[in-house]
Amino acid sequence: MTKNKMWGGRFGGAPAEIMEEINASIAYDQRLFAQDIAGSRAHCQMLAATGILSDDDAQTILQGLDQIEQEIERGKFKFSRELEDIHMNIEHRLHELIGPAAGRLHTARSRNDQVATDFKLYVREAIDQIVAQLDELLAALVEKAEAHADAIMPGFTHLQTAQPVTFGHHCLAYVEMFARDKSRFLDARARLNESPLGAAALAGTSFPIDREMTARALGFDRPTRNSLDSVSDRDFALETMAAAAISAVHLSRLAEEIVIWSSKGFEFVALSDSFTTGSSIMPQKRNPDAAELIRAKAGRIIGGLNTLLIVMKGLPLAYSKDMQEDKEAVFDVLDNFSLALVAMTGMIGDMVPRREQMRAHAGAGFSTATDLADWLVRVLGLPFREAHHVTGEIVAMAEQAGRELSELSLEQMQKVEPRITEDVFSVLSVENSVASRTSFGGTAPENVRKMAQHWRKKLAQS
């Protein structure tokens, strides 16, 4: 066996084959190449500015890094499992290109602060992409809400018909959810935006480095304040994954509603061939597979968050090799969450609400019973609990007669409460019920239109 070139004189032999298998991460961390090269450029320029590295060596190193980046982007770079990870693959290639000067690049840094920096840069870029994708989903929902501000549908609790609402109002409920999700990602971005570069292995360095310079060069707000925390922290990944997991739950809930709405029992919406599939045996089927797959992605994303939480839960300070298991979970979560966002945005744009079908369902199931109770309180002055009881008796009467509340006669209702007048019919239609819900945040079409405009302006400013 030959000496290990990476670990120098401490080890006399090469790692066993199984050790190489478990230790290597290049199969997945090679996607960090752009961040690794960006960090190396910033570090090299800082070393030159502080006099730790000569200008000639710095220029040679920067040219070599440029060439390596071009090779990777063009698919000409040969990644080696023997070199473990993206950092050593790039350093090895740099040495091939420029010789001994390559070894000076690693002065005053460690793979520990290097990988923390690369990973933060990657997650930050992913957050920026996700925020843009959330904006697109929000815009699609707002557009759908505005177009269907007065489309009446049943509102549900316990998946039982409760009160009539509008489809636009229902869409805006998800706007609120995804807007909160966006704020969580932005909060996570703000907290992660401190540079670990220069923390070295765990204790900092004796070289006169300028961490403020490298932080600025990489777009960070400031350098991290504690070298131990700098290399052992993965909160930024956990927080981003947690934001993705919460948002994936919202995507899953919306996906579940689309599955329900597009089913034969409801038929509230129609989806085109773009977001449905057929059956291999049943020619009549149109399956909402895109929605179902988004619903399933939530479990995968939540599982990824759990993976990293469990990896991190027992680690003493500072760095442990366990933390190499962070990237696959993060990459998988961010990839699948991004995919689910794009798919949902497409599905919302593709979805066609079936207004007549929704209106028919909204009028069934005594959905205006609460309006009747409110009328008894407002007009007759009944205490609400008494009005609730009277309404319950009238609902029972209608149910026994096989009619909706609006189909009962005045005389029938007066048998339960003699003071009821003809005016009661003004609140028993679903149109009047929806129009009356004008309290802030209510479902009245005028509210929906105003709130949709509010969100349009807010999205235009973001």
Side-chain angles (χ1 to χ4, degrees):
M1 293 196 295
T2 59
K3 275 192 174 184
N4 189 292
K5 295 179 181 179
M6 189 188 317
W7 301 325
R10 171 65 181 85
F11 290 82
E17 186 177 343
I18 192 63
M19 181 59 192
E20 183 178 305
E21 182 70 23
I22 197 172
N23 199 42
S25 60
I26 189 61
Y28 50 86
D29 72 10
Q30 61 184 261
R31 70 161 72 187
L32 295 174
F33 78 89
Q35 292 78 19
D36 194 71
I37 290 172
S40 289
R41 283 197 186 104
H43 187 66
C44 177
Q45 290 162 347
M46 180 275 294
L47 291 176
T50 54
I52 300 169
L53 187 66
S54 71
D55 289 339
D56 287 345
D57 280 346
Q59 188 61 33
T60 302
I61 289 169
L62 292 173
Q63 289 173 352
L65 291 172
D66 288 344
Q67 181 172 336
I68 292 168
E69 187 170 44
Q70 291 171 13
E71 289 176 358
I72 296 174
E73 288 174 347
R74 294 171 183 170
K76 303 296 185 182
F77 190 94
K78 292 182 180 180
F79 292 102
S80 168
R81 283 177 57 82
E82 291 182 2
L83 294 170
E84 288 191 22
D85 55 31
I86 187 62
H87 323 296
M88 298 311 301
N89 269 264
I90 289 175
E91 183 174 323
H92 179 77
R93 178 59 179 151
L94 187 63
H95 192 274
E96 287 181 338
L97 290 173
I98 68 172
R104 302 187 188 280
L105 176 60
H106 208 54
T107 305
R109 77 173 181 184
S110 162
R111 276 195 298 174
N112 293 353
D113 62 333
Q114 189 178 358
V115 67
T117 303
D118 294 358
F119 205 16
K120 275 195 171 185
L121 290 172
Y122 182 89
V123 172
R124 189 178 70 186
E125 290 173 21
I127 289 175
D128 290 343
Q129 176 182 298
I130 284 167
V131 167
Q133 291 171 336
L134 279 166
D135 277 342
E136 291 174 4
L137 176 56
L138 287 164
L141 285 163
V142 169
E143 183 176 343
K144 200 66 74 173
E146 200 165 30
H148 300 281
D150 59 353
I152 296 171
M153 68 176 290
F156 298 95
T157 62
H158 310 279
L159 205 56
Q160 303 296 313
T161 301
Q163 293 175 273
V165 295
T166 64
F167 187 77
H169 193 57
H170 203 112
C171 288
L172 289 178
Y174 283 100
V175 170
E176 296 289 336
M177 294 184 213
F178 292 120
R180 291 195 298 271
D181 296 337
K182 176 182 172 181
S183 71
R184 273 184 280 269
F185 279 107
L186 291 173
D187 286 347
R189 190 192 194 282
R191 266 184 290 279
L192 75 75
N193 210 34
E194 296 181 345
S195 173
L197 193 57
L202 76 160
T205 178
S206 58
F207 287 95
I209 61 172
D210 185 346
R211 294 190 63 207
E212 293 282 355
M213 179 180 174
T214 51
R216 286 193 304 271
L218 294 169
F220 289 110
D221 295 330
R222 63 192 72 84
T224 51
R225 290 179 293 273
N226 184 282
S227 59
L228 283 167
D229 179 60
S230 300
V231 299
S232 62
D233 166 45
R234 291 298 182 269
D235 289 1
F236 63 92
L238 288 168
E239 190 171 0
T240 303
M241 294 168 86
I246 293 170
S247 192
V249 169
H250 295 154
L251 286 171
S252 184
R253 293 182 74 180
L254 179 51
E256 170 67 7
E257 295 211 292
I258 292 171
V259 170
I260 292 170
W261 291 345
S262 61
S263 69
K264 200 65 179 173
F266 286 78
E267 296 182 295
F268 288 180
V269 300
L271 295 169
S272 76
D273 293 347
S274 298
F275 291 93
T276 57
T277 63
S279 165
S280 63
I281 190 172
M282 295 169 283
Q284 82 281 8
K285 294 289 292 299
R286 184 191 289 273
N287 301 321
D289 282 9
E292 291 171 359
L293 288 166
I294 290 170
R295 192 173 58 186
K297 293 291 185 189
R300 185 168 178 171
I301 291 164
I302 293 165
L305 170 60
N306 284 338
T307 294
L308 187 51
L309 284 168
I310 294 165
V311 166
M312 296 299 298
K313 71 174 181 61
L315 300 187
L317 296 181
Y319 182 84
S320 296
K321 194 68 170 181
D322 310 52
M323 292 165 68
Q324 184 169 289
E325 293 295 319
D326 55 4
K327 293 166 203 64
E328 281 186 290
V330 172
F331 294 159
D332 190 70
V333 164
L334 296 178
D335 288 349
N336 282 282
F337 179 64
S338 178
L339 178 60
L341 278 176
V342 174
M344 181 59 80
T345 302
M347 201 159 32
I348 293 299
D350 179 76
M351 185 171 62
V352 178
R354 302 180 66 176
R355 296 169 71 107
E356 291 183 9
Q357 188 73 2
M358 289 193 295
R359 167 63 181 80
H361 276 259
F366 314 111
S367 64
T368 57
T370 305
D371 298 273
L372 172 56
D374 289 346
W375 184 90
L376 292 170
V377 171
R378 187 172 60 251
V379 177
L380 301 186
L382 270 62
F384 184 80
R385 284 301 169 201
E386 184 179 343
H388 186 283
H389 181 76
V390 170
T391 301
E393 288 190 38
I394 294 173
V395 167
M397 177 190 295
E399 190 172 35
Q400 190 171 12
R403 297 181 179 182
E404 293 300 321
L405 290 175
S406 60
E407 295 172 339
L408 292 175
S409 68
L410 178 61
E411 291 75 17
Q412 285 175 305
M413 286 188 276
Q414 286 175 336
K415 288 180 181 179
V416 179
E417 173 48 68
R419 291 176 292 169
I420 293 177
T421 67
E422 192 77 30
D423 180 63
V424 75
F425 290 101
S426 68
V427 301
L428 295 182
S429 74
V430 291
E431 287 79 11
N432 287 342
S433 173
V434 164
S436 72
R437 305 296 173 179
T438 55
S439 60
F440 184 77
T443 191
E446 63 181 274
N447 284 17
V448 174
R449 293 187 183 98
K450 286 179 183 177
M451 195 55 67
Q453 282 301 311
H454 162 80
W455 281 112
R456 276 193 182 280
K457 291 177 184 176
K458 196 163 185 176
L459 288 169
Q461 293 167 358
S462 63

